[in-house]
Amino acid sequence: MRRTLLGAGAALLLAVTACSAGEPADPGPAAPSTAGIPTASRQDAGEVERTLASLRKVDDLPLYEMTYVGAYDPTAGTDASPQAKPFGCSLFAAAGDPARPLFARNFDWDANPALVLRTDPPDGYATISVVDMSYLGVGADPSGDRRLLNAPLLPFDGMNERGLAVGLAADDGARAIRDPGKPTVGSVRILRLVLDRAATVDEAVAVFERYNVDFDGGPALHYLLADAGGASAVVEFVDGRMRVEQGRGGWRALTNVPVVGVAEERRREDHRYGTIAAALDRAGGVVDASAAFEILRDVRQGHTRWSVTYGLRGGEVRLTTATGGGERRYQLPVS
C-alpha cells in the first residue's frame, strides 16, 4: 500500500467522457488497447494479464470481483454516457462510537452487473470500491475485455486504506457553475480522485474545491464523506456553488433530498431519510455492520442493486446484492 498522493489532473464525465484539459500529468507509457478501445491502464503486459485474470463472478446479480495490478492514469479513458435517470440511493455515516465509525449505503439503479474492485496504485492510496459495470461498456461476458482496465475510474462508493469513504446519490436540484480557472472533472470520477488523494474529510473537501464537477450526461449528484476520525460531510451544489455541511461524531445521512441549509425537520419529510434518522437517533449514532444492514433493509427499494458497509477503522467491507445470495466480506488494511 502507498501513502503518497496522486498528481493533479483533469477528470472525465459521469461515464468517463472527456471534459476539459486540466493540470498536466505525466502521460506515462501508452495505454493498452484492443480494436481501438483506449483504457486508463499504465500497466505493463504482465500486470494487464494478472488484472484481467483476477476477474471472477461471485453471484448472480451478476457481481464480479477484480484486483487491479499496477498504475492507471486517472485522467484517461473514454466511454459513452448512458441516458440520465434518477439514481435513488440511501447513505449514512455513524460515528457515535469514535472507536468504530461506519459508512453504509444502498445503491439504487438499473439492473446492471457490478464489480468489487481492489486497487493499489503506486501514487495513491489502496482502495476497495464498487463499480456499476454498465458504465464500462463491457458485454455480457466481460472476461478478457480490456475496457475493464477503466474500472478504477468509476467508483460509485468506496473506502481507502486511511479509512476515508465516499458515496453519491442523485440530487435533482443540484447545479454547478463552471469556474474557468479550475479543471473540470466528471461527477463519478471525482470519487476516484478523492479516494486516491484524501486521508480525511478535510482533505476530501479540498479535492472537491480544486475542481469543477460536471453533471452533463448524467443525473446531478450530491456526496457523503466520512473518515476514520469520526468526521463526516455532505457536499452539494446549490445555486451553482459548492456548499458543505461538515461535522464530527453522531451521524449524518443522505438520500435524494438536499440537506445543506435545510432544517432537519424538513429533511425528515423524506421517507428514507426520516427512517434512517429515526433509527440512528435511537441508536445514539452507534451501529455495527449488522445493525447498519437492518437500517439499509428498511429503506431498500425495488431497484436497490447492492448494500454495503465500510468499517472506517477496521477496514472491513461487507456487501450484499439484490440476488439475496448471501453476504460477501472483504478486508482492506487501514492505517
Side-chain angles (χ1 to χ4, degrees):
M1 294 176 293
R2 300 350 190 252
R3 293 170 177 80
T4 56
L5 302 183
L6 282 173
L12 306 175
L13 285 177
L14 176 65
V16 209
T17 301
C19 290
S20 63
E23 303 165 52
D26 180 3
S33 63
T34 298
I37 300 169
T39 76
S41 169
R42 292 298 177 262
Q43 304 158 293
D44 61 34
E47 290 170 332
V48 168
E49 182 178 0
R50 289 162 59 196
T51 296
L52 297 178
S54 73
L55 181 74
R56 64 189 185 112
K57 182 180 175 182
V58 295
D59 89 357
D60 292 331
L61 186 70
L63 177 71
Y64 294 85
E65 297 171 358
M66 190 176 80
T67 297
Y68 189 99
V69 181
Y72 49 84
D73 178 353
T75 71
T78 58
D79 208 344
S81 295
Q83 184 178 356
K85 300 176 185 178
F87 268 85
C89 301
S90 303
L91 308 89
F92 63 87
D97 180 353
R100 49 190 182 112
L102 182 137
F103 185 99
R105 77 102 98 248
N106 284 341
F107 181 69
D108 304 338
W109 190 230
D110 289 337
N112 302 322
L115 174 70
V116 177
L117 180 69
R118 289 182 177 271
T119 59
D120 189 2
D123 49 1
Y125 294 126
T127 71
I128 291 177
S129 61
V130 190
V131 176
D132 180 329
M133 292 177 70
S134 69
Y135 286 69
L136 299 172
V138 299
D141 180 6
S143 300
D145 193 324
R146 290 200 174 198
R147 285 172 291 194
L148 290 167
L149 303 180
N150 282 328
L153 310 180
L154 289 171
F156 284 73
D157 52 71
M159 175 178 67
N160 67 24
E161 64 180 281
R162 298 300 299 273
L164 186 281
V166 62
L168 55 77
D171 177 10
D172 290 342
R175 185 171 64 93
I177 295 174
R178 189 171 300 185
D179 180 344
K182 296 180 180 180
T184 297
V185 306
S187 56
V188 174
R189 181 66 62 89
I190 188 67
L191 272 67
R192 172 50 59 194
L193 299 177
V194 165
L195 289 169
D196 282 358
R197 297 178 176 185
T200 66
V201 164
D202 284 342
E203 292 179 4
V205 170
V207 171
F208 271 94
E209 289 174 336
R210 289 198 290 271
Y211 295 93
N212 300 306
V213 176
D214 195 329
F215 297 133
D216 290 347
L221 304 172
H222 54 180
Y223 306 86
L224 181 65
L225 311 166
D227 66 28
S232 61
V234 170
V235 175
E236 291 185 339
F237 294 83
V238 182
D239 296 327
R241 304 297 179 188
M242 177 177 148
R243 296 183 62 187
V244 181
E245 179 179 281
Q246 193 167 349
R248 183 174 299 277
W251 60 265
R252 196 173 305 276
L254 192 68
T255 56
N256 304 114
V257 296
V259 300
V260 177
V262 177
E264 182 67 14
E265 295 79 6
R266 179 80 177 273
R267 301 177 190 181
R268 294 188 187 218
E269 292 174 2
D270 176 75
H271 170 71
R272 283 179 288 122
Y273 185 100
T275 299
I276 294 169
L280 293 174
D281 278 347
R282 289 193 298 270
V286 181
V287 293
D288 59 14
S290 296
F293 273 117
E294 291 182 8
I295 298 171
L296 293 176
R297 280 192 290 272
D298 288 341
V299 293
R300 281 183 66 87
Q301 302 187 86
H303 56 295
T304 297
R305 300 303 293 159
W306 69 77
S307 302
V308 62
T309 65
Y310 295 96
L312 304 183
R313 281 189 177 268
E316 183 183 54
V317 181
R318 297 170 60 173
L319 182 142
T320 63
T321 71
T323 64
E327 181 182 286
R328 304 200 64 82
R329 298 192 184 193
Y330 307 90
Q331 186 64 45
L332 178 66
V334 294
S335 57

